[in-house]
Amino acid sequence: MKVTKFGGSSVADATQLRKVLAIIQADSERRFIIVSAPGKRNKNDIKVTDLLIDYANAFLEKRDTRSFELAIIARFNEISEALNLSKALPEIAVYITNLKQTTLTSTPRIMDLFKSSGENCHAMLIAEFLTSQGTPAVYVNPKDAGLIVEDIPGDAIIKKESYQAIYNLRKLTKVAVIPGFFGYTDEGNICTFSRGGSDVTGAIISAGIKADIYENFTDVDAIYSANPGLIPNCHAIKELTFSEMRELSYSGFTVLHDEALMPAYQGNIPVVIKNTNNPDAPGTRISFKRSTKEESVVGIAGDSGFTSIYLSKYLMNRQIGFGYSVLKILKELNLQFEHIPSGIDDMTIIMRKNQLNEAIEEQLITRLRTELDLDELVVKHDISMIALVGEGMRNNIGVASRATSALSRNNINLEMISQGSSEVSILFAISDAKEKDAIKALYYEFFCLA
Ligand code: ASP
């Protein structure tokens, strides 16, 4: 059995949905279909989820919502008409119009209710479409599927008990069309995953039904070794391990949601990324072990918007509890750190800049300075983290040396280097302004100079 997820651009309009139909009909194992809300039809288009967020904001601010309702219904109407469908649309129009009658009072809950309806309505429409084309299909609401989540609006986390319930979906005789992106809390409220979260639903359903494979259809032929927008003719990756994919998506690869791998990883379900517009391309397979030869570096990712805080204190290494005090301050200010590489007498905190405003930064700096009695503290904003990823690094000597030489030849100053003991990645902190140059230099070194 296969779980097959189609992202927003794959279900953006009737033309795309005809491709989706052909893909589903080409393989009878494709019995669990997870769908996103209609995405962008072209570069300047607006995703239905974004229209729903605008609608929710207008409702919350007591502004006129009509234009948003009409724009959203028009998207579904256009698809329904082009595919000669008639059943689901009236229900969808009522559903969208009635969102503003909600009795919910909490803003995040209202937001989640609105946001989830793009996927919810589209799943109804797609189930009707498949059925009309000779593939009997049924819309399955996530609550009926047993998809119960922790109550964190906009950032839901699956509850372990869900998997047992989801297993029962195997009994369905028709193709199940399940809306991605949300589940229900124990109290019965809709709760969405973070943006792009239909990938997460697909992984959860795959693990729950113990699928043979989780197919994730998107709009690229494969995952590439670096951003193909930056590197023309970029090398397509055939196979990746879960750890490599996790490192790459954490460090800026956006093809797959950062949290989508966990359920697949835990359930040992291989994931394959494929292209709806070119389904014959082999795509990229992600699993525990590669069958191909271990390359030392499989991908290079970059992500900007970090801040580094350098702390130094003579004889820091002798002071018991120094690290603990740093972490305590971060925790008390509710700040997340990404990396804390350290030396004998110094330590650097790398964190996402978007958590800081002027007041919080001031508080953090003052507390670090006074409570830790530092010799020096230097804050640098606009830092990029570049990740060189590959399990094969473990068995290849000299990867870090090649990388640092390539960066130095290109006049790129390193603020920090960090390699975890798992040796799946090496991270370099550099100035934002040099991010593109660094990725190009590393790509050239590891993929062009064989
Ligand atoms: N429609 C949602 C979003 O745009 C979820 C998804 O497409 O995966 O974030």
Side-chain angles (χ1 to χ4, degrees):
M1 279 184 191
K2 295 181 177 175
V3 170
T4 309
K5 182 254 166 181
F6 293 95
S9 59
S10 301
V11 293
D13 60 17
T15 309
Q16 291 302 88
L17 284 175
R18 287 194 195 96
K19 296 179 191 170
V20 165
L21 172 74
I23 291 169
I24 295 170
Q25 291 188 334
D27 186 343
S28 59
E29 290 299 309
R30 293 183 173 133
R31 289 190 30 207
F32 297 91
I33 312 300
I34 317 299
V35 296
S36 280
K40 291 186 180 191
R41 292 160 292 186
N42 53 61
K43 240 175 144 194
N44 302 319
D45 201 10
I46 307 178
K47 287 175 162 197
V48 165
T49 308
D50 290 321
L51 288 170
L52 285 158
I53 293 171
D54 291 343
Y55 176 16
N57 281 324
F59 167 71
L60 288 163
E61 291 158 17
K62 302 194 177 9
R63 286 185 278 121
D64 186 11
T65 55
R66 199 62 199 142
S67 63
F68 299 114
E69 292 168 46
L70 291 176
I72 295 159
I73 296 169
R75 287 291 304 268
F76 289 111
N77 185 41
E78 187 191 296
I79 296 173
S80 178
E81 271 189 3
L83 298 176
N84 290 321
L85 306 174
S86 59
K87 290 199 195 91
L89 190 76
E91 211 181 311
I92 290 171
V94 172
Y95 189 98
I96 298 294
T97 312
N98 284 353
L99 284 172
K100 61 182 186 295
Q101 315 288 346
T102 178
T103 51
L104 292 171
T105 50
S106 130
T107 298
R109 280 207 198 295
I110 293 173
M111 196 42 103
D112 272 11
L113 168 71
F114 279 62
K115 261 159 60 181
S116 64
S117 42
E119 272 70 11
N120 207 19
C121 294
H122 213 19
M124 296 178 200
L125 198 63
I126 292 172
E128 182 190 349
F129 174 50
L130 296 181
T131 307
S132 76
Q133 297 300 311
T135 297
V138 55
Y139 156 82
V140 180
N141 182 276
K143 191 193 266 176
D144 301 327
L147 214 156
I148 306 301
V149 296
E150 306 269 2
D151 193 357
I152 316 170
D155 206 7
I157 298 173
I158 189 71
K159 283 197 159 194
K160 279 211 178 78
E161 312 83 90
S162 299
Y163 292 112
Q164 190 65 43
I166 292 170
Y167 187 77
N168 291 326
L169 292 178
R170 292 176 69 103
K171 292 184 196 136
L172 287 173
T173 48
K174 293 181 178 177
V175 166
V177 184
I178 308 171
F181 192 34
F182 68 99
Y184 284 79
T185 64
D186 280 327
E187 291 72 38
N189 287 310
I190 283 181
C191 202
T192 68
F193 299 112
S194 53
R195 289 299 303 267
S198 299
D199 283 344
V200 181
T201 306
I204 291 169
I205 300 294
S206 304
I209 67 145
K210 301 195 192 304
D212 297 309
I213 195 158
Y214 169 27
E215 298 178 310
N216 190 299
F217 277 84
T218 174
D219 50 13
V220 287
D221 274 353
I223 292 174
Y224 294 91
S225 293
N227 178 355
L230 198 62
I231 314 273
N233 303 320
C234 194
H235 171 262
I237 307 175
K238 287 198 183 71
E239 286 190 54
L240 279 172
T241 65
F242 281 118
S243 315
E244 289 167 341
M245 188 64 223
R246 162 87 181 116
E247 296 274 348
L248 288 170
S249 46
Y250 168 79
S251 301
F253 275 33
T254 52
V255 179
L256 193 64
H257 191 292
D258 190 17
E259 287 165 28
L261 285 178
M262 191 44 116
Y265 172 86
Q266 285 172 336
N268 192 7
I269 317 285
V271 181
V272 61
I273 308 290
K274 286 182 73 79
N275 190 352
T276 303
N277 305 313
N278 185 15
D280 293 332
T284 301
R285 185 184 163 94
I286 307 157
S287 61
F288 273 103
K289 225 172 164 39
R290 250 200 301 271
S291 62
T292 48
K293 180 177 145 284
E294 275 210 343
E295 291 148 288
S296 59
V297 175
V298 292
I300 302 158
D303 201 6
S304 54
F306 291 89
T307 292
S308 75
I309 306 174
Y310 172 80
L311 318 174
S312 106
K313 182 175 182 177
Y314 193 61
L315 292 181
M316 183 190 281
N317 66 324
R318 301 284 301 273
Q319 189 181 327
I320 291 174
F322 186 90
Y324 169 77
S325 308
V326 171
L327 296 179
K328 188 163 167 275
I329 294 172
L330 292 176
K331 176 160 191 330
E332 285 169 6
L333 294 175
N334 204 19
L335 294 170
Q336 247 175 345
F337 72 89
E338 304 294 321
H339 313 276
I340 305 197
S342 61
I344 310 169
D345 286 341
D346 51 16
M347 188 177 263
T348 305
I349 308 169
I350 308 268
M351 63 199 314
R352 296 221 178 242
K353 187 181 170 194
N354 60 8
Q355 305 177 86
L356 300 171
N357 58 30
E358 231 174 89
I360 298 175
E361 184 174 331
E362 174 73 48
Q363 239 183 321
L364 172 64
I365 303 307
T366 311
R367 286 196 60 181
L368 289 169
R369 261 194 222 289
T370 49
E371 293 174 34
L372 303 173
D373 190 21
L374 299 171
D375 296 334
E376 198 185 355
L377 182 153
V378 182
V379 181
K380 283 192 186 168
H381 293 301
D382 303 323
I383 296 286
S384 273
M385 296 298 294
I386 307 292
L388 205 56
V389 176
E391 297 235 26
M393 278 192 238
R394 229 175 268 135
N395 306 320
N396 280 290
I397 295 169
V399 176
S401 144
R402 280 178 72 185
T404 48
S405 308
L407 294 171
S408 97
R409 276 199 305 277
N410 285 275
N411 215 8
I412 296 165
N413 182 41
L414 297 176
E415 304 284 343
M416 181 223 69
I417 306 178
S418 158
Q419 181 178 36
S421 27
S422 67
E423 289 187 60
V424 180
S425 69
I426 306 179
L427 294 164
F428 303 100
I430 59 165
S431 138
D432 261 358
K434 291 282 189 181
E435 181 181 315
K436 288 185 181 146
D437 290 350
I439 293 176
K440 284 184 191 164
L442 292 171
Y443 185 84
Y444 182 73
E445 176 67 35
F446 290 99
F447 291 93
C448 302
L449 295 181

